[in-house]
Amino acid sequence: MKKRNLDSAPWIWRTISTVSILTTLLLLFGFGYAIKDVIFPEGDAQLGTGQQTTAPAKDSGQSTPVVKDGKIRMAVIGDSLARGTGDDEGLGFVRRAGNLLKDQGYDVQVLNNMGVNGLRTDALLSKLDEQGVRYVLQQSNFILLSIGANDLFQGGQVLQGEDAPTAETLAAALPETSKRLQEILKKVKEINPDAQIAYIGLYNPFGDVKELKEPGNAVVAAWNDAAMKVLNNEDKMTLVPTFDLFENHLGQYLSSDHFHPNGEGYEQIAVRIAQEYQAETPAEGSGK
């Protein structure tokens, strides 16, 4: 019996080695595909025709004129909400909004979802300098932006602290982060001055936590006010309000992590996004 086990050992090692090599190749392929998705973005096959876009050989710093064919070319950038984290269907607000606009007769294409889990304002500012990101934004005519929740609430980690944060501790980061938000909005506008830009306002995910209701509401209100001051001074820039959507429906619209929206919550945000788009851009032939 012992000799038989020894005879089978080489085959076991060969099998393990083969599986390891195949796994490594699969990981390399996935990494390469992810890089390609950023540098050479393709449209969402379920929204629009999936028209391929080609990155310029060199970023000249100038916006590339977008073909004006009546199509909505959407791009989303920002944090995990932009990514759609918490949505069991994986649609997030961007594809849900795209579907709503498509149902209303618009020709919609989602160029790229550049949301990153855990992204904060300082990291987004740096990201906006990346050639692939700038190119996608330049090719869009409807840009969705979500950022700020991780700066204020540490990605939901505030619930895990021993002591509940006070209004003062939550507001401590507000001056610097709201200043970076203004820089972000202006930078996106500089990258593509012709696109309609919708910033997704913040809600307080801890409005049902006694210790965090009042300080959370106060800091979110101050944040949204800071965003509005910038947006009101710019053309084609709007804030999509979400505070009132979630205020009394946290149990219904939040996912199990008590921070991100669930599918129903994302759908409510998507409805607001579609309404904001239509308010700014009447459909051709609609007479608006």
Side-chain angles (χ1 to χ4, degrees), residues 210-242:
K210 183 179 178 182
E211 296 82 359
L212 293 176
K213 181 176 182 178
E214 289 189 11
N217 286 349
V219 75
V220 167
W223 176 275
N224 288 335
D225 285 345
M228 282 298 296
K229 288 180 181 177
V230 180
L231 299 167
N232 286 338
N233 291 324
E234 300 286 348
D235 294 331
K236 298 182 179 181
M237 295 181 75
T238 58
L239 182 142
V240 178
T242 64

Side-chain angles (χ1 to χ4, degrees), residues 20-189:
S20 299
I21 291 171
L22 291 174
T23 303
T24 302
L25 290 174
L26 182 61
L27 287 173
L28 289 174
F29 174 79
F31 179 75
Y33 189 84
I35 295 296
K36 169 185 170 294
D37 193 41
V38 172
I39 299 177
F40 302 100
E42 296 182 5
D44 188 328
Q46 298 182 40
L47 288 172
T49 60
Q51 175 185 341
Q52 186 170 354
T53 55
T54 304
K58 183 179 181 180
D59 183 7
S60 64
Q62 301 295 321
S63 297
T64 303
V66 178
V67 177
K68 295 183 178 179
D69 53 5
K71 180 180 292 185
I72 301 175
R73 292 181 170 82
M74 301 173 68
V76 58
I77 189 168
D79 53 22
S80 51
L81 269 73
R83 193 74 186 171
T85 302
D87 188 342
D88 290 339
E89 297 182 55
L91 300 176
F93 59 68
V94 62
R95 288 184 60 186
R96 290 177 182 275
N99 288 333
L100 288 171
L101 290 167
K102 184 179 179 183
D103 291 342
Q104 294 166 16
Y106 291 93
D107 190 357
V108 184
Q109 180 183 15
V110 177
L111 293 182
N112 207 323
N113 186 327
M114 299 180 286
V116 178
N117 289 337
L119 197 71
R120 301 189 182 200
T121 50
D122 53 348
L124 179 55
L125 264 176
S126 300
K127 196 173 185 62
L128 290 173
D129 292 327
E130 296 176 10
Q131 181 179 345
V133 170
R134 294 175 65 87
Y135 180 72
V136 172
L137 295 181
Q138 288 168 353
Q139 293 302 302
S140 309
N141 55 19
F142 189 26
I143 299 171
L144 304 175
L145 170 65
S146 174
I147 196 70
N150 292 314
D151 294 79
L152 299 187
F153 297 116
Q154 303 167 35
Q157 298 301 310
V158 294
L159 277 182
Q160 300 178 13
E162 294 183 359
D163 299 320
T166 63
E168 289 74 18
T169 56
L170 279 179
L174 191 59
E176 286 300 316
T177 52
S178 61
K179 182 180 177 182
R180 286 198 290 270
L181 173 64
Q182 295 176 20
E183 294 174 7
I184 288 167
L185 291 169
K186 290 181 178 178
K187 203 165 189 175
V188 173
K189 185 73 173 179

